[in-house]
Amino acid sequence: MNDNASAGDGFAAAARPIATQSVIHTDTEGLAAGLASLTVDGQAVPVYHARPAGQDKLPVVIVVSEIFGLHEHIADVARRFAKRGYLALAPDLFVRQGDPSTIPDITTLMARIVRKVPDAQVMGDIDACVAWAGRNGGDVDRLGINGFCWGGRMTWLYAAHNPRVKAAVAWYGKLVAAPNPPGQPHHPIDVAPALTVPVLGLYGAKDTGIPLATVEKMTAALGQGTSDSAIVVYPDAGHAFNADYRPTYNAKAARDGFARALAWLREHGVV
């Protein structure tokens, strides 16, 4: 299956209002990569997957997208993990609500799709990805999750939902929100004290959408619990600093963040 086919089709359109040319391109040499379709409660859910070719019993990492959904940048991140020995899966978690690539601006995208996605639906779709991984060469006893922006929030929530996760990495996911949209009853700060899964949070001090005060509140909430969680704040980075197809990209913070993510998963037994 062509790994660049459907996963990348929506990339240009979804990113067009804010995009620059992608800085990083990860090839498929030595990888098996493509799209699978999972059926979850009667719904076909596309999942991009990448792994070292010819290998099984691989550590598993779920890659959760930002609001633009499953496009080429997210597929590229999956390939980056695959190059380091993972079975990486990136599901299309907006498939029921709509196609982000058809919406020209972020405000409309949030209103028409993102705020209509129930958290329980996302948890179920990721559960299905984990089950698929277990049937297709993955060792789900070595399970990690990594998410960006909207996916960063979902990463915190999934770590609370599934205690089988060994470790998680949440990049600039919103930590608090008020009022809560329908179907989104909890936010990371609500689940922080009860977390058992170690989560690494990666945030930018110049992120105007996630004030440092909320990051400090999250750090305090994590301190009330027992998980080996931590938050790193990059002083010169804003929101979406890992998105190498956007003007927000901060190469130094992105490189350090990915190195920390790999180390975090390794230190907590995913690899």
Side-chain angles (χ1 to χ4, degrees):
M1 186 176 295
N2 186 335
D3 67 294
N4 289 322
S6 297
D9 288 349
F11 172 65
R16 187 177 299 122
I18 50 176
T20 60
Q21 185 175 358
S22 294
V23 173
I24 300 173
H25 174 71
T26 306
D27 62 38
T28 58
E29 184 176 357
L31 302 181
L35 280 170
S37 181
L38 312 186
T39 300
V40 186
D41 296 331
Q43 171 68 51
V45 178
V47 180
Y48 183 83
H49 56 92
R51 74 182 78 200
Q55 298 185 34
D56 61 6
K57 297 182 180 178
L58 296 165
V60 176
V61 63
I62 308 298
V63 179
V64 190
S65 74
E66 3 88 320
I67 62 172
F68 302 115
L70 177 55
H71 58 67
E72 178 55 24
H73 170 68
I74 298 302
D76 196 278
V77 171
R79 294 193 294 273
R80 296 173 204 177
F81 278 110
K83 290 278 188 176
R84 290 158 176 85
Y86 288 86
L87 168 56
L89 295 92
D92 180 357
L93 297 170
F94 298 131
V95 65
R96 296 171 185 81
Q97 280 71 33
D99 180 358
S101 72
T102 65
I103 297 179
D105 66 272
I106 289 176
T107 300
T108 305
L109 174 59
M110 292 295 295
R112 291 186 182 176
I113 294 181
V114 178
R115 291 195 181 97
K116 294 183 178 180
V117 180
D119 293 342
Q121 173 186 296
V122 176
M123 301 299 108
D125 286 351
I126 298 176
D127 284 344
C129 286
V130 174
W132 185 92
R135 298 191 301 269
N136 290 274
D139 178 1
V140 295
D141 288 327
R142 295 186 292 156
L143 172 64
I145 183 168
N146 178 96
F148 304 97
C149 184
W150 178 86
R153 174 180 175 271
M154 290 302 173
T155 294
W156 287 106
L157 295 182
Y158 193 75
H161 167 80
N162 184 0
R164 291 186 65 188
V165 173
K166 286 280 190 180
V169 183
W171 301 67
Y172 37 83
K174 189 175 284 291
L175 300 167
V176 301
N180 292 1
Q184 300 175 14
H186 302 297
H187 292 281
I189 200 163
D190 301 323
V191 302
L195 273 177
T196 59
V197 172
V199 183
L200 174 64
L202 300 173
Y203 288 81
K206 296 182 178 180
D207 188 336
T208 57
I210 303 176
L212 278 178
T214 66
V215 177
E216 291 165 358
K217 288 180 181 179
M218 184 66 175
T219 301
L222 290 169
Q224 299 171 23
T226 59
S227 72
D228 180 23
S229 295
I231 293 180
V232 174
V233 177
Y234 292 96
D236 297 323
H239 192 69
F241 60 81
N242 189 68
D244 59 72
Y245 65 100
R246 298 176 66 179
T248 54
Y249 179 56
N250 182 309
K252 182 179 179 181
R255 284 194 297 266
D256 186 79
F258 194 62
R260 287 178 184 270
L262 292 171
W264 187 262
L265 296 175
R266 182 173 61 250
E267 289 165 8
H268 291 90
V270 181
V271 292

